[in-house]
Amino acid sequence: MKKYIKQLIKLINYERDAEIELMTNEIKNLSPKKRESLGRAINKVKGKYLGKQLGSQIVQFGRSEKIETEISVGDMVLISTGYPLRSDLTGTVVEKGARFIKVAFEKSIPKWALKKKVRIDLYANDVTFRRMEDNLLHLNTKGKNALEYSLKKRDPKENKKEKYIDFIDKSLNESQKNAVRNAVNTENFFLIHGPFGTGKTRTLVELIQQEVRQNNKVLVTAESNSAVDNILDRLSQNKKLKITRLGHPQRVSKENITYSLAYKAENHQLTGKINKNYKRIEQISETRDRFTKPTPQYRRGFSDSDILYNASKGKGGRGINSSKMESMANWLLENEKISEIHDKIKKLENKIVKDIINSSDIILSTNSTAAIEEIARTKFNVVIVDEASQATIPSILIPLSKARRFILAGDHKQLPPTIISKKAHFLEKTLFEELIKKYPNKASLLNVQYRMNSFLMKFPNSEFYNGNLKSDSSVDDINLDEIIDSEELSRLKESDVEKQLHNNLKPLLFIDTSNLKNNEEKHLKDSKSIINQSEAAIATSIAKFYLGTGINPKDIGIISPYADQVNLIQDKIPIEVKSVDGFQGREKEIIIISTVRSNKNGNIGFLKDLRRLNVAITRAKRKLIVIGNKNTLKGNSTYSKLIKFCAKNDLLINFRSLSKTCVI
């Protein structure tokens, strides 16, 4: 066990170093313009001070030019005048707009940040790594037990005698109810396998409420703030629940701010006493500062006790006259009063936090934030972790160290944690994945999906979920007719391809570019990423076709696994274009996928990670269009199956030419 833990510590340090190195090298080697194009910097913005909010200084940075960036609410950023690595001014993003971004700072803001046009860079946050390392170094029995299950050094107990459950959400399907029953009655741990669109969050909300009904204190965590807030959004509908959200208040969504520990502390009945004490400190400070502060140049080697003793005897010494000695003594006496009041404030603050935590049924936080001192001695009956298949083992062990029972929810068939360091590749193996392989009897599958047309579900269901999923009747036959403006459609002169784009009998299309001239993938200068200009043109044109039929731009998404391809398409059309990672956990009515890879060697790079394919093809509700070179992709068995599936169902379009104005 000790050896394994040491290895985990080594791996997280590799990953920490890789993140910092990546950020540093990017800042050193890429122009500000290039880094902004990658979504990791914002240039030429000017700051405006907005005042204090929940203990933080808020500055709004803005410009007339539109801001398009991957930097999001909750991210840590570095502010500079053009030389980021020379700056130490960091803050947390609290709000984003089309032409502004608001940042919260823990310390006072230097004048240059408000007077000059500055640069904002996404910053590598070291705090999470330090928390993971510290937890591993002092891993308690509860955390070790979780590891022992995964290593098969300890077997879990059988479930407890089943308790009757009166379900709060009466509309839960049988698989969701079964997951809740099993989780509530588990002795050690239980796994909820929630594939795309199967109502995993809804199931967890029911489970959390059932645990509270049994007088259990519940810690709920997830890898991301957005996932935590998503659960909180649902739980907050039950006004009887006593909920507290941990974490930096600026990382909590505006809608949920009243549940944050910071907000509750600020509005606690004892806070008035704290404010009175601070006013008293101000008064005493004014008195204290009339006297001589005993700095080294004045005290000349005398200790505090020496100064107080000499002053009591009316004595000076070492060139210090008696009046100066008395003045220093008075300063010390007044300062002691201030220290005593600070101690009182600290005790009051601790009492406030203790009151809030103890009176809460449910504590919510990210995995990392579960390490904070405020809940270090809190006894939880159960820990429930969402996004468990996206959390590394060192990360998930932080909350799992808080209770003997734990429930993990996720989908190991989707994307694993993002690991930058090649040396730390092992961290992609998650506790959820290890446990579900070893203990399939300790898992429940949510098997009814509420997202997509039943035909769209066929391939991923067969390929990734052994055909165990079924679609709910509410989505079985959803199609484009319900969102297309028929009048706009009638005005369009349609090509054969266009007819298939809105053909409801064809919710899935594969557009094959293998016979298209100039369809090759390319590397941009000074970039490791890849583009495919032909695919970008096709994807853009398809999106424009749908926009021309009256479909809301918010209902269309374009996915590409390569950052440079994302940037290339983004510049062509005003709809959401993101990487596979950027779309995980989300959905759109129409999804267009640009696979990019097109070469004679059949080299598909990291498309080989089939979890990326699963995520990409399960984001669409009504229409999915995959663009790719079938000759390049078919060397991989899963892509080959997808292509054959499309060919068998007459969903394969052999694309041969690009027109100058329109590709379809």
Side-chain angles (χ1 to χ4, degrees), residues 448-450 452-454 470-478:
V448 183
Q449 70 86 15
Y450 299 84
M452 62 176 58
N453 174 296
S454 58
K470 56 186 178 183
S471 58
D472 186 71
S473 58
S474 62
V475 296
D476 257 344
D477 301 314
I478 58 170

Side-chain angles (χ1 to χ4, degrees), residues 524-659:
L524 293 178
K525 191 179 178 183
D526 301 323
S527 176
K528 292 180 180 178
S529 188
I530 302 171
I531 64 166
N532 188 313
Q533 290 175 315
S534 296
E535 286 193 16
I538 296 169
T540 303
S541 191
I542 291 171
K544 285 180 178 176
F545 167 79
Y546 284 125
L547 291 173
T549 66
I551 291 176
N552 193 317
K554 292 180 180 179
D555 290 334
I556 307 169
I558 299 179
I559 298 176
S560 181
Y562 291 94
D564 281 353
Q565 184 78 345
V566 169
N567 294 328
L568 180 63
I569 299 171
Q570 271 179 339
D571 293 338
K572 298 177 183 290
I573 193 161
I575 63 169
E576 190 171 14
V577 188
K578 289 189 182 293
S579 66
V580 181
D581 303 63
F583 266 107
Q584 174 136 321
R586 302 178 57 218
E587 60 187 40
K588 295 280 186 181
E589 303 292 342
I590 300 168
I591 287 287
I592 304 160
I593 301 171
S594 170
T595 59
V596 177
R597 302 314 298 255
S598 181
N599 55 72
K600 294 177 182 178
N601 304 321
N603 183 9
I604 64 170
F606 74 169
L607 292 184
K608 287 178 185 174
D609 187 341
L610 299 175
R611 291 169 294 190
R612 292 187 176 279
L613 175 63
N614 185 28
V615 171
I617 65 176
T618 55
R619 302 306 96 193
K621 295 171 72 174
R622 300 172 194 267
K623 193 84 173 188
L624 173 67
I625 298 133
V626 182
I627 309 166
N629 184 331
K630 73 175 185 182
N631 292 337
T632 300
L633 297 173
K634 69 182 182 183
N636 178 277
S637 63
T638 300
Y639 281 94
S640 180
K641 287 177 190 174
L642 174 62
I643 293 162
K644 286 176 181 175
F645 176 86
C646 291
K648 182 182 177 182
N649 291 281
D650 193 27
L651 307 171
L652 188 65
I653 298 174
N654 194 334
F655 209 79
R656 295 181 180 276
S657 64
L658 290 171
S659 72

Side-chain angles (χ1 to χ4, degrees), residues 363-480:
I363 304 294
L364 294 105
S365 80
T366 60
N367 294 335
S368 170
T369 303
I372 63 173
E373 180 64 27
E374 284 81 349
I375 60 167
R377 285 170 287 281
T378 305
K379 293 181 179 179
F380 293 99
N381 301 100
V382 61
V383 174
I384 298 171
V385 185
D386 194 12
E387 295 185 330
S389 52
Q390 292 173 259
T392 65
I393 289 175
S395 174
I396 208 165
L397 282 176
I398 294 174
L400 298 196
S401 299
K402 303 293 179 182
R404 294 193 182 278
R405 277 179 67 229
F406 61 88
I407 302 15
L408 308 184
D411 182 11
H412 55 299
K413 302 294 184 179
Q414 296 190 48
L415 289 179
T418 302
I419 303 300
I420 297 170
S421 171
K422 290 180 180 178
K423 293 179 180 177
H425 185 69
F426 177 80
L427 290 176
E428 287 188 355
K429 289 186 177 182
T430 65
L431 189 71
F432 184 94
E433 187 176 9
E434 294 301 300
L435 291 176
I436 205 166
K437 284 178 184 174
K438 292 180 172 71
Y439 307 98
N441 61 315
K442 297 284 286 182
S444 278
L445 173 71
L446 306 181
N447 65 4
V448 183
Q449 70 86 15
Y450 299 84
R451 174 177 295 167
M452 62 176 58
N453 174 296
S454 58
F455 186 87
L456 277 181
M457 184 190 73
K458 276 189 177 182
F459 181 79
N461 185 25
S462 169
E463 188 64 21
F464 300 105
Y465 300 102
N466 300 315
N468 290 321
L469 303 184
K470 56 186 178 183
S471 58
D472 186 71
S473 58
S474 62
V475 296
D476 257 344
D477 301 314
I478 58 170
N479 57 61
L480 292 180

Side-chain angles (χ1 to χ4, degrees), residues 321-345:
N321 61 40
S322 60
S323 62
K324 180 72 75 176
M325 190 71 76
E326 186 182 359
S327 184
M328 288 194 292
N330 286 333
W331 192 97
L332 289 170
L333 290 169
E334 294 301 313
N335 198 60
E336 181 62 27
K337 292 177 186 175
I338 291 172
S339 295
E340 287 172 2
I341 296 172
H342 273 301
D343 289 340
K344 284 183 184 177
I345 289 172

Side-chain angles (χ1 to χ4, degrees), residues 69-102:
T69 183
E70 294 293 314
I71 298 171
S72 57
V73 173
D75 283 340
M76 183 174 281
V77 290
L78 182 66
I79 315 296
S80 68
T81 53
Y83 301 96
L85 298 180
R86 297 180 190 175
S87 175
D88 63 351
L89 182 60
T90 59
T92 301
V93 177
V94 298
E95 190 178 341
K96 276 173 69 178
R99 290 176 173 80
F100 74 87
I101 189 162
K102 290 182 185 177

Side-chain angles (χ1 to χ4, degrees), residues 201 205 208 220-235 243-247 251-253 256 363-369 384 386-387:
T201 303
V205 167
I208 294 162
V220 182
T221 71
E223 194 66 7
S224 68
N225 280 292
S226 59
V228 176
D229 283 330
N230 191 26
I231 293 173
L232 179 51
D233 285 339
R234 305 274 188 102
L235 285 172
I243 306 166
T244 297
R245 169 76 154 91
L246 304 183
R251 291 190 175 97
V252 180
S253 67
N256 295 324
I363 304 294
L364 294 105
S365 80
T366 60
N367 294 335
S368 170
T369 303
I384 298 171
D386 194 12
E387 295 185 330

Side-chain angles (χ1 to χ4, degrees), residues 58-260:
I58 309 296
V59 176
Q60 179 172 299
F61 296 96
R63 68 187 186 195
S64 57
E65 185 186 347
K66 194 174 179 182
I67 296 172
E68 294 178 352
T69 183
E70 294 293 314
I71 298 171
S72 57
V73 173
D75 283 340
M76 183 174 281
V77 290
L78 182 66
I79 315 296
S80 68
T81 53
Y83 301 96
L85 298 180
R86 297 180 190 175
S87 175
D88 63 351
L89 182 60
T90 59
T92 301
V93 177
V94 298
E95 190 178 341
K96 276 173 69 178
R99 290 176 173 80
F100 74 87
I101 189 162
K102 290 182 185 177
V103 181
F105 297 92
E106 297 299 304
K107 60 182 183 180
S108 58
I109 299 112
K111 290 180 180 178
W112 58 261
L114 303 174
K115 288 186 176 181
K116 298 179 180 179
K117 285 188 176 179
V118 300
R119 168 177 168 176
I120 301 174
D121 282 86
L122 186 63
Y123 194 62
N125 190 352
D126 186 50
V127 174
T128 299
F129 290 104
R130 283 191 275 115
R131 286 173 175 173
M132 287 191 289
E133 184 173 0
D134 185 65
N135 185 61
L136 286 169
L137 285 169
H138 305 97
L139 195 63
N140 63 18
T141 304
K142 301 179 188 90
K144 286 177 180 174
N145 286 348
L147 277 185
E148 286 176 351
Y149 297 138
S150 72
L151 298 170
K152 270 286 191 178
K153 291 187 176 183
R154 173 188 292 265
D155 287 323
K157 294 179 182 177
E158 294 294 318
N159 281 4
K160 296 178 280 188
K161 186 179 178 181
E162 191 165 311
K163 301 170 186 173
Y164 170 75
I165 293 177
D166 180 17
F167 287 97
I168 299 163
D169 185 349
K170 305 297 184 185
S171 61
L172 290 177
N173 65 52
E174 196 52 42
S175 72
Q176 292 168 330
K177 288 178 180 177
N178 189 50
V180 174
R181 286 191 199 98
N182 282 319
V184 166
N185 291 296
T186 194
E187 275 284 351
N188 301 120
F189 69 85
F190 197 75
L191 313 169
I192 298 175
H193 183 191
F196 60 92
T198 54
K200 174 165 60 67
T201 303
R202 187 176 173 186
T203 305
L204 289 180
V205 167
E206 177 71 30
L207 170 62
I208 294 162
Q209 292 180 103
Q210 292 296 342
E211 291 285 358
V212 172
R213 273 189 172 183
Q214 298 194 30
N215 297 317
N216 288 332
K217 197 173 189 73
V218 189
L219 175 63
V220 182
T221 71
E223 194 66 7
S224 68
N225 280 292
S226 59
V228 176
D229 283 330
N230 191 26
I231 293 173
L232 179 51
D233 285 339
R234 305 274 188 102
L235 285 172
S236 63
Q237 295 171 25
N238 183 345
K239 302 303 178 185
K240 294 179 181 178
L241 295 173
K242 297 171 183 176
I243 306 166
T244 297
R245 169 76 154 91
L246 304 183
H248 194 299
Q250 308 304 339
R251 291 190 175 97
V252 180
S253 67
K254 281 185 175 179
E255 295 76 19
N256 295 324
I257 200 68
T258 56
Y259 293 98
S260 72

